[in-house]
Amino acid sequence: MSLDVPVATSAGVSVQRRWTWIAQGYGLAVSAVLSYFLLGLVIQVSDSFGNLLAVQRPTLGELVREQLSQHAYLRPLLWAQIKIIYEWSGGDYYAWFRGLHVAQVCVLIALCVRLMRPTTALDLALVPLSLAVLVGAHTFGPLLREAHPINSYLTIVIACVAAANLAFQARSRWYTDTLAIVLFVGATLTVESGILVWVVCAAAYVLGARGLSRPAVAVMTMCLVAYVAIRMFVLDVGTPALAERASGFGFRALEPAELIARFEGRAWTFYLYNVFSSLATVLFSEPKGGVWRFVFEVSAHNVHPWTMVSVLSSTAATGLVAWFVWTRRARVRVWTFEGNDRIVGVFVAVLAANALVSFPYTKNVIMSPAGVFFSLAVFAAARQWFERAAASRLVATIVIFAVLTCGWAYRVAGNHYNLRRTAAEQRAVWVTVDTWLDRQRIALVSPEAQTLRDALRADALRNHPTPYQPTSAWMQWFDIDW
């Protein structure tokens, strides 16, 4: 059933709502399971502890002003969020930061289910597949395992999906326009990939969605131009250089010194590689973090099951979406689209833009917005398949959806297993946190800093001890996609 086809009778509306509520109930169950595993994590030492130390002394205003003078990054609202939650926590850091993480995941899944608009039994049957593609993706795993101590990329993903929900409304209203603009400005000043909120809104409008008005999209466009101009010409905030961090290339990660030696003077070739790798990682789960792991394992005649299933399941999903695009080519020629078309169209736009903003270096989590919209595109394509092709292509249906359901279920299980592994690894670092501080040349001079270390270490090792760990034998089947 098309997203744009209304049901006139009250009985029909009641039936639609029943499927919608059941789908949201399933999404809530998925959120509950993820929340249980998320609460097994603690505030990590790397990134999180150092960031909390950085927000201890400055006031909120001082912190924001300091971020406006940083090189390569412009993220004042990210640091403002960390400062606000830090102050509100009153020392109960685990409850506030982990609680926020759980709330973010629940909101994201609810927004994704709402965007699918499941109104039939078929729609309901496809919701688990779409959420499996969402939760099982290697671009989604870091949204769960990492926090700094707020996962800013998860914030951006939520903003993008929320903007899509607004853009796909039946008509615009002043408050939805205002909310979309606020989402864009807030996301952009949190992380650079926040500009994808504009991509979502602009693409939806171009494809015929009218949940946002033309003036709203125009205002967001002017805000984008102002952001780029101020960033480049007023604040002189550049982009990450080759020496900024390690990045994957070929069959391994290259350290900054290696990147400079190989690409200095022709960095554009490295940037092109990153854009291509970012596109491919969403569509085929290869490469991951810029490293062509599957190709290397095939050449070495030692393919890990996790790698094989990841590539096969992603390729099957991409093939299904490609089939959908091919069958809708006539609508592209006349530029007339329905709800399914718009979902897939927005995914294509987000994928391209997300890859472009990832040019400085490759990292799975950076492509998480495209990964989330990929799961929604799979839902739209699968619905189209069962409405138009399943009856006449029974064997193909069985093969494609066997690969999809089994492959993505395997990846969902693997990501949950890896959350348990991460829980143990995080606590192991807290055991030797003083050694880590020495390596990072961080001296805890103030009593407040020492108190923070002691509180976080107590949370990790005493107040919230390591949760149950499954047998290590499972490690031969699952692996972590960093």
Side-chain angles (χ1 to χ4, degrees):
M1 178 178 175
S2 169
L3 293 179
D4 295 335
V5 176
V7 177
T9 66
S10 59
V13 172
S14 178
V15 170
Q16 283 187 339
R17 288 176 178 170
R18 179 181 66 186
W19 299 125
T20 300
W21 282 109
I22 295 174
Q24 285 289 359
Y26 179 81
L28 186 61
V30 172
S31 299
V33 174
L34 280 175
S35 298
Y36 172 75
F37 281 84
L38 273 176
L39 291 174
L41 305 181
V42 292
I43 295 176
Q44 63 202 52
V45 173
S46 61
D47 296 321
S48 296
F49 183 33
N51 288 349
L52 288 175
L53 288 172
V55 303
Q56 270 195 314
R57 286 184 173 274
T59 65
L60 180 60
E62 291 171 343
L63 198 63
V64 170
R65 285 194 296 272
E66 179 184 346
Q67 294 306 310
L68 296 178
S69 60
Q70 295 296 311
H71 173 72
Y73 301 104
L74 182 60
R75 302 174 176 179
L77 292 190
L78 167 60
W79 289 91
Q81 293 165 27
I82 296 174
K83 176 66 173 179
I84 291 170
I85 300 299
Y86 172 81
E87 295 294 345
W88 284 358
S89 69
D92 195 357
Y93 308 114
Y94 172 86
W96 279 79
F97 284 104
R98 289 266 65 82
L100 176 62
H101 203 169
V102 166
Q104 285 183 304
V105 169
C106 293
V107 169
L108 173 61
I109 291 178
L111 287 172
C112 285
V113 174
R114 186 179 186 278
L115 194 55
M116 296 175 207
R117 299 184 185 178
T119 56
T120 67
L122 171 61
D123 295 345
L124 176 62
L126 294 175
V127 167
L129 172 61
S130 180
L131 291 184
V133 177
L134 170 68
V135 176
H138 64 289
T139 55
F140 188 79
L143 296 180
L144 304 175
R145 294 191 304 269
E146 300 176 3
H148 311 295
I150 296 175
N151 195 306
S152 54
Y153 292 104
L154 181 54
T155 303
I156 300 308
V157 169
I158 292 172
C160 288
V161 180
N165 273 275
L166 295 174
F168 286 156
Q169 293 293 315
R171 62 186 182 89
S172 64
R173 296 175 174 84
W174 69 267
Y175 52 86
T176 56
D177 286 351
T178 303
L179 180 56
I181 295 169
V182 171
L183 278 173
F184 169 67
V185 174
T188 304
L189 294 179
T190 298
V191 178
E192 288 74 11
S193 56
I195 63 174
L196 295 175
V197 173
W198 174 84
V199 174
V200 169
C201 296
Y205 189 87
V206 169
L207 293 169
R210 290 297 179 262
L212 298 176
S213 66
R214 180 179 296 183
V217 177
V219 169
M220 294 174 69
T221 303
M222 289 187 290
C223 289
L224 174 62
V225 172
Y227 167 78
V228 173
I230 293 173
R231 179 187 176 101
M232 294 179 61
F233 304 115
V234 178
L235 299 178
D236 195 26
V237 178
T239 58
L242 292 174
E244 190 76 27
R245 64 179 68 223
S247 185
F249 185 83
F251 293 149
R252 66 185 183 92
L254 301 182
E255 294 300 320
E258 295 176 293
L259 291 172
I260 293 173
R262 183 171 296 194
F263 296 107
E264 189 171 25
R266 55 188 186 94
W268 64 270
T269 59
F270 177 62
Y271 295 152
L272 282 177
Y273 173 85
N274 290 341
V275 172
F276 174 78
S277 297
S278 297
L279 290 170
T281 197
V282 174
L283 299 175
F284 306 106
S285 289
E286 177 78 359
K288 292 175 178 175
V291 177
W292 294 82
R293 176 176 170 177
F294 177 70
V295 176
F296 174 79
E297 291 178 358
V298 169
S299 65
H301 306 289
N302 185 26
V303 181
H304 195 285
W306 183 253
T307 311
M308 176 66 75
V309 173
S310 296
V311 171
L312 288 178
S313 57
S314 289
T315 301
T318 297
L320 183 63
V321 174
W323 168 86
F324 175 89
V325 173
W326 176 254
T327 62
R328 310 299 282 179
R329 62 190 184 280
R331 287 191 172 272
V332 175
R333 286 195 290 266
V334 298
W335 209 256
T336 302
F337 302 107
E338 298 178 348
N340 288 340
D341 307 320
R342 291 170 187 149
I343 288 179
V344 175
V346 169
F347 158 66
V348 172
V350 171
L351 174 64
N354 205 167
L356 286 173
V357 300
S358 302
F359 76 91
Y361 58 92
T362 53
K363 195 175 179 183
N364 292 337
V365 72
I366 297 177
M367 293 303 295
S368 53
V372 170
F373 279 93
F374 182 54
S375 71
L376 297 169
V378 169
F379 174 83
R383 175 164 47 191
Q384 182 79 359
W385 177 277
F386 279 102
E387 289 178 348
R388 305 287 175 86
S392 59
R393 301 175 183 176
L394 182 59
V395 174
T397 300
I398 293 173
V399 172
I400 292 171
F401 285 89
V403 173
L404 287 173
T405 54
C406 294
W408 285 101
Y410 177 85
R411 294 175 69 173
V412 169
N415 274 350
H416 284 82
Y417 173 79
N418 288 330
L419 283 173
R420 276 295 186 250
R421 284 180 58 189
T422 302
E425 292 168 357
Q426 287 178 343
R427 288 166 172 83
V429 180
W430 275 111
V431 172
T432 58
V433 62
D434 291 328
T435 302
W436 180 87
L437 289 169
D438 291 338
R439 289 200 306 268
Q440 301 298 316
R441 299 180 181 179
I442 299 176
L444 304 184
V445 179
S446 68
E448 294 87 352
Q450 296 171 13
T451 299
L452 175 63
R453 175 202 58 194
D454 295 341
L456 294 177
R457 181 163 55 188
D459 271 345
L461 304 180
R462 185 176 65 249
N463 300 336
H464 305 282
T466 305
Y468 166 78
Q469 292 293 302
T471 173
S472 59
W474 286 102
M475 292 178 65
Q476 64 179 313
W477 300 105
F478 301 124
D479 199 7
I480 293 182
D481 299 315
W482 292 107

